[in-house]
Amino acid sequence: MTTAVTEYPNLFSPQKIGPRTAKNRVWMTAHSTQLVKDHNFTEEHVHYYAERARGGVGVITMEAMAVHPTTQPYKGKIFAFDPAVVPNYKLLAAAVHEHGTLLLAQPWHRGRETSGTVNRLPVWAPSSVPCTVYREMPHVLTHDEIDELIQGYVLAARYAVEGDLDGVEVHGLAHGYLLGQFLSPATNHRTDSYGGSFENRLRLIVDIIERTRAETGRDRIVGVRINGSDGDVPGGLSNADWVAIARALADTGLIDYISVTQGTYIERMNIYGATPKPAGFQIEDTGRIKAAVPELPVVVAGRMNTPEIAEQALAAGKADMIGMARTLIADPEWPNKAQRGKANTIRPCVGANWCMASIVNSPLACVHNPAVGRERQLGVGTLTEAPRHKRVAVVGGGPGGMRAALTAAQRGHHVTLFEQESELGGQVRLIGRSETYAEWQGITDWLISQLGESTVDVKLTHRVGPGELDAGYDEVVIATGSTPLKHGWSSLHPASWGDGSIVPGADQWNVYSVNEILSGRAEAGPRVMIFDDTGARQPLVAAEYLADRRHEVVIVTRLPQVSPDLEASRDLQATYRRVRGKGITFVTDHEIASIVEDSVVLRDVWTGTTTTHDSVDAVVLSTGNAADDALFHELKGKTSVRAIGDCVSPRRIFNAIWEGELAGREI
């Protein structure tokens, strides 16, 4: 028995699930990857899931798969009702089973929580109640269409068996999807045999489970995913309601486990809580469901991101399995590291939800794990020793520079990392100074800890000049970042960005950048106005930081809403609720016309009308950054040099770390 098993005896003990046994209690729950092609799995899927199986996961439920063409929020959806999935199921099963991991399909239908834009079909729902996100009026399902839906689940189960999977997780009850819409009196207004009483609202789910079990037989696993609570939804299902639902499903005798999550699209942060949602926030609701179905294994999810939290939940009897998705996206080796007593080396999920934002326009990605979705090229075991060990200088100790230095050193190069500040971390360190986003420092803390175990020579408070780098180093990586712009112009005035002018008054002593606020260098007075032209998170970070220090804050933006980028990371609603609760107010569709001492003149971007706001003690500008690329251009042509991150173009943490990883591999 290893030391790690002693540390987490429950987490790394086997668990019987119906006819199969999981080797441990770590369950990778379903999540979108957008690696799909032609509604089917790809080679990238095989490497993605195999990487997590190799990392020690006990059970994997693959991403939600459509049971009918009407559930296509975007093109990247697997058609579980299409026999074309069977050969790829077999490839996936072989790759995952090699590591002793169980593999399940997850057939599902979104119901009203989608649109017909992609498939050009009507949205299906039990009643014509539009979704708060998609807002499309649904078509009320007929009995014939309900039969068609059931048949989709039947085919999904049949093909899962033919594809050598270990079982099926019936989805659609949780997160306010179609089966959950039938269950909830808030969304089911039917008067037929599928509406009204609890038994009627449950009828469709029981029918699907019965038909699924008939297809799988008793030698395959059949489970369900349900909510522990719908959240703050008028007329929605409470934890007590879901306890009753869980008991009713268990009483069918047809299911082998229950996986519990939370939330609907009205309360999306209960589905995939971003920071500052606390770790383990679903444990108590899940525990009450476990108490109601003691004979069945129950999976708990909801930011179960450390072995300690997982072990405590299991030891307390709140659940039998630990469900996690983002945690294993961030570090696929999480189980092996925990079991081997190396939990301190786990790359932490910090709840930045870049994984959620990425799948809006591209395949899945992680803010600080560059290998996600590219496991074959960048995954565990792909980093090889360099053919010749070089002397490498990396200038800039932000996330990109640290990643480049670490990867280059891991390949055997002799690396020196220069940072002009007294500590590493760059702008992520500043964001982490806000209490709300303190967890984001896990990105840089992990890199710093890895550097401490490496051969990298870190030199702090060292501002590098070109003379130090144009000789003596074989390769130079410039990661000098960027500097906030303070000219005050919105991007509606592109000519003014290049003529050297500023908004009148933008050079006053009481005008600051977000970085100056978060660094503590600015002494802002009681009343602060923040102007946002980027639509990004930084203005809200600064606003909360100031509000927590008793400043009165208003955010002005020339956009129709503040920080719309948060729509992609799915935490806009939760963030708005939090910041508005702190007294922060918004003024949209306006830009700054001028600043005169403690008065700010705002201009309506549509009408040109101006209004004056008096008694503004400080103005904070979030209008983009300028690349600090001077050192790169000084060295170019003199030595082998490359630039990464913000000094190429000010963008995101993800881009800096991605480019740092590539630079370290290319040297």
Side-chain angles (χ1 to χ4, degrees):
M1 181 176 290
T2 67
T3 302
V5 172
T6 303
E7 290 181 40
Y8 311 113
N10 292 292
L11 187 59
F12 293 104
S13 62
Q15 170 66 51
K16 188 168 172 30
I17 308 168
R20 307 289 166 96
T21 299
K23 64 181 179 181
N24 60 40
R25 308 299 183 93
V26 182
W27 193 308
M28 183 173 177
T29 53
H31 54 277
S32 178
T33 64
Q34 289 291 40
L35 298 170
V36 179
K37 183 178 181 182
D38 298 329
H39 302 295
N40 209 331
F41 292 97
T42 61
E43 186 178 358
E44 285 78 11
H45 276 109
V46 176
H47 291 284
Y48 178 77
Y49 288 119
E51 183 98 321
R52 274 75 196 165
R54 188 182 303 110
V57 172
V59 185
I60 294 174
T61 301
M62 292 183 289
E63 58 204 82
M65 310 164 194
V67 296
H68 193 271
T70 49
T71 183
Q72 290 184 67
Y74 31 76
K75 291 183 69 175
K77 274 298 156 195
I78 307 293
F79 279 177
F81 56 88
D82 187 338
V85 300
V86 173
N88 287 343
Y89 276 162
K90 290 183 177 181
L91 294 173
L92 288 157
V96 167
H97 288 160
E98 179 183 346
H99 305 286
T101 301
L102 303 178
L103 187 65
L104 307 178
Q106 193 191 63
W108 119 124
H109 197 293
R110 293 173 72 107
R112 72 187 186 122
E113 292 180 342
T114 188
S115 76
T117 303
V118 171
N119 54 32
R120 305 186 184 188
L121 297 171
V123 170
W124 279 8
S127 302
S128 193
V129 181
C131 169
T132 57
V133 174
Y134 289 94
R135 303 180 300 281
E136 185 168 324
M137 293 302 297
H139 162 71
V140 178
L141 280 164
T142 67
H143 282 224
D144 286 344
E145 289 163 340
I146 289 174
D147 290 342
E148 196 176 323
L149 173 74
I150 294 171
Q151 184 61 19
Y153 277 96
V154 169
L155 292 174
R158 182 177 303 165
Y159 298 143
V161 172
E162 291 179 9
D164 298 333
L165 302 186
D166 295 288
V168 174
E169 180 174 288
V170 175
H171 190 27
L173 290 77
H175 299 167
Y177 292 137
L178 182 60
L179 304 186
Q181 292 160 32
F182 271 90
L183 281 170
S184 175
T187 49
N188 184 347
H189 305 157
R190 301 175 73 101
T191 57
D192 62 3
S193 59
Y194 292 101
S197 69
F198 176 71
E199 292 74 16
N200 282 356
R201 288 182 280 113
L202 192 66
R203 185 182 310 278
L204 174 59
I205 292 89
V206 173
D207 286 348
I208 288 170
I209 291 171
E210 288 176 347
R211 296 287 298 276
T212 297
R213 178 57 81 185
E215 289 293 329
T216 64
R218 286 289 178 178
D219 63 340
R220 293 293 203 284
I221 297 169
V222 173
V224 295
R225 192 150 214 228
I226 70 172
N227 269 356
S229 169
D230 285 359
D232 188 15
V233 180
L237 296 169
S238 67
N239 180 241
D241 294 323
W242 283 105
V243 167
I245 291 165
R247 185 63 259 169
L249 296 177
D251 286 341
T252 67
L254 298 172
I255 61 173
D256 298 310
Y257 74 89
I258 294 175
S259 180
V260 185
T261 177
Q262 281 194 4
T264 73
Y265 278 23
I266 295 178
E267 286 281 345
R268 298 179 90 181
M269 274 301 96
N270 287 342
I271 301 175
Y272 20 62
T275 184
K277 200 80 169 178
F281 67 95
Q282 298 179 17
I283 290 175
E284 293 307 314
D285 281 347
T286 301
R288 285 184 281 272
I289 288 173
K290 174 59 192 173
V293 290
E295 74 274 28
L296 290 179
V298 170
V299 185
V300 63
R303 305 210 70 202
M304 303 296 295
N305 49 20
T306 69
E308 290 74 22
I309 292 171
E311 182 68 19
Q312 289 166 12
L314 295 170
K318 304 290 186 180
D320 305 282
M321 300 287 292
I322 303 300
M324 54 181 71
R326 290 170 298 171
T327 297
L328 293 166
I329 295 170
D331 195 336
E333 295 188 286
W334 190 100
N336 284 347
K337 288 178 178 179
Q339 187 171 16
R340 294 168 183 169
K342 296 182 177 180
N344 62 314
T345 68
I346 290 171
R347 181 191 288 109
C349 173
V350 299
N353 273 14
W354 178 248
C355 49
M356 303 301 304
S358 67
I359 61 172
V360 174
N361 297 306
S362 71
L364 183 69
C366 173
V367 71
H368 67 142
N369 179 5
V372 173
R374 291 168 172 81
E375 283 73 18
R376 183 171 41 155
Q377 299 86 7
L378 304 176
V380 177
T382 63
L383 197 63
T384 58
E385 185 173 357
R388 181 169 73 89
H389 296 175
K390 299 179 179 180
R391 293 192 65 213
V392 178
V394 179
V395 184
M402 286 193 286
R403 182 71 260 180
L406 179 61
T407 300
Q410 289 171 337
R411 297 189 62 229
H413 295 302
H414 308 289
V415 183
T416 303
L417 174 62
F418 298 96
E419 168 55 46
Q420 66 179 0
E421 301 291 341
S422 60
E423 56 184 327
L424 299 170
Q427 296 189 51
V428 178
R429 173 172 50 82
L430 295 181
I431 292 173
R433 286 184 174 170
S434 165
E435 289 84 347
T436 300
Y437 295 98
E439 195 173 351
W440 281 37
Q441 292 211 50
I443 298 170
T444 50
D445 287 348
W446 183 81
L447 285 166
I448 291 168
S449 70
Q450 295 296 295
L451 286 172
E453 298 296 320
S454 75
T455 59
V456 175
D457 181 15
V458 178
K459 295 186 181 297
L460 299 175
T461 61
H462 190 117
R463 187 176 182 87
V464 176
E468 295 180 72
L469 301 173
D470 57 11
Y473 291 97
D474 301 303
E475 300 273 354
V476 178
V477 179
I478 304 299
T480 44
S482 61
T483 302
L485 294 168
K486 290 177 64 178
H487 52 52
W489 296 111
S490 80
S491 50
L492 295 174
H493 303 274
S496 299
W497 285 52
D499 64 11
S501 66
I502 62 170
V503 168
D507 56 351
Q508 285 188 176
W509 66 272
N510 61 342
V511 178
Y512 306 104
S513 68
V514 169
N515 285 9
E516 288 173 316
I517 292 294
L518 296 177
S519 69
R521 294 196 298 267
E523 295 184 6
R527 294 170 295 276
V528 181
M529 176 180 288
I530 298 175
F531 175 63
D532 170 35
D533 187 58
T534 66
R537 187 180 300 274
Q538 284 84 344
L540 285 169
V541 175
E544 281 200 79
Y545 177 88
L546 289 165
D548 289 342
R549 285 155 181 77
R550 299 177 182 264
H551 294 271
E552 181 183 316
V553 183
V554 57
I555 302 177
V556 177
T557 180
R558 58 101 181 163
L559 301 166
Q561 66 181 124
V562 171
S563 300
D565 284 6
L566 274 65
E567 288 275 18
S569 52
R570 315 298 204 275
D571 61 333
L572 182 78
Q573 176 195 49
T575 303
Y576 273 18
R577 180 179 292 117
R578 188 175 65 248
V579 301
R580 296 298 291 271
K582 294 181 179 182
I584 298 167
T585 58
F586 300 164
V587 177
T588 60
D589 301 309
H590 281 75
E591 62 181 352
I592 295 177
S594 65
I595 306 168
V596 182
E597 296 183 350
D598 62 353
S599 295
V600 179
V601 179
L602 300 181
R603 180 170 47 240
D604 188 300
V605 299
W606 305 115
T607 67
T609 305
T610 60
T611 54
T612 300
H613 291 247
D614 296 319
S615 301
V616 178
D617 298 303
V619 177
V620 180
L621 300 177
S622 181
T623 52
N625 284 29
D628 286 338
D629 56 3
L631 182 59
F632 169 73
H633 289 295
E634 286 185 64
L635 290 170
K636 193 174 181 181
K638 299 179 182 179
T639 189
S640 179
V641 61
R642 69 191 74 207
I644 63 170
D646 275 14
C647 77
V648 177
S649 176
R651 289 156 294 159
R652 307 164 191 87
I653 303 167
F654 167 80
N655 299 99
I657 293 176
W658 167 259
E659 291 172 8
E661 174 71 11
L662 295 186
R665 286 173 175 262
E666 290 167 358
I667 294 172

